[in-house]
Amino acid sequence: DAMAGARLEMVGMEDLGMGWSEAAYHFSYTPVRGDEGSLKEWTLSCGDDQGVDHSLTATVSVRTRLCSYTAAEGETLSSMTRKYQLSTNWLNVWNANPALSDPDLHLGAATVVKLGPTYTVRAGDTLSSIAAEFSTTVKKLLAVNPGVNMVPGEEMMAGTPLCILACTNQNSPSMNYK
């Protein structure tokens, strides 16, 4: 559904007299599961209902980050990872966010939390080989990369970005958290 997560809400209407009125709208978007790493675009148009005035059109583009989460007010790393079943070991997420000094800290609204590193698939990689390299499982790779529709032994397309959540709280030497 193209509108999943998107909302257009009228926030005001003003009567300008002589049959004219002006409306104000607020557009918001909350990514839904599966939007990770995607680009969404919406085209919004406005004009009069008589077809006298030409419409104005604007395109809104939103790229949802891969391997990131925007916290709600008061969430902690532990509550966030439990709520979204990102990892049973919240230390993985804390490891990926060195700027967060306290894992029990209540996060502010709109705090961006890095879930783990992003890995770029190389020629010959499979889900199984990537899982082994990063001490994780194929199941966890598929869970945090819902856009990937692969079977474990199949070679992946080189250049494909993947979010990696390791099953350990230790940094892997090949992980890049930047």
Side-chain angles (χ1 to χ4, degrees), residues 69-76 79 106-111:
Y69 172 76
T70 303
E73 184 71 39
E75 277 188 301
T76 64
S79 69
H106 288 268
L107 302 170
T111 300

Side-chain angles (χ1 to χ4, degrees), residues 119-133 150-160 162:
Y119 172 76
T120 303
V121 173
R122 298 179 304 236
D125 279 347
T126 64
L127 286 172
S128 300
S129 68
I130 295 167
E133 180 178 348
M150 304 285 298
V151 291
E154 200 173 273
E155 276 192 30
M156 298 189 68
M157 184 185 315
T160 302
L162 288 179

Side-chain angles (χ1 to χ4, degrees), residues 72-110:
E73 184 71 39
E75 277 188 301
T76 64
L77 293 182
S78 181
S79 69
M80 179 194 77
T81 56
R82 270 195 320 274
K83 180 179 179 181
Y84 294 98
Q85 301 171 351
L86 298 172
S87 172
T88 54
N89 184 350
W90 57 266
L91 288 171
N92 295 334
V93 179
W94 191 28
N95 231 0
N97 294 277
L100 297 177
S101 59
D102 181 354
D104 296 322
L105 178 72
H106 288 268
L107 302 170

Side-chain angles (χ1 to χ4, degrees), residues 134-174:
F134 291 102
S135 303
T136 191
T137 64
V138 169
K139 184 177 178 180
K140 187 172 281 191
L141 284 175
L142 291 171
V144 297
N145 295 283
V148 173
N149 188 16
M150 304 285 298
V151 291
E154 200 173 273
E155 276 192 30
M156 298 189 68
M157 184 185 315
T160 302
L162 288 179
C163 180
I164 305 291
L165 288 184
C167 290
T168 176
N169 62 359
Q170 302 300 314
N171 277 333
S172 167
S174 55

Side-chain angles (χ1 to χ4, degrees), residues 13-23 47:
M13 172 80 88
E14 182 180 349
D15 184 355
L16 302 176
M18 297 183 54
W20 289 77
S21 61
E22 183 175 89

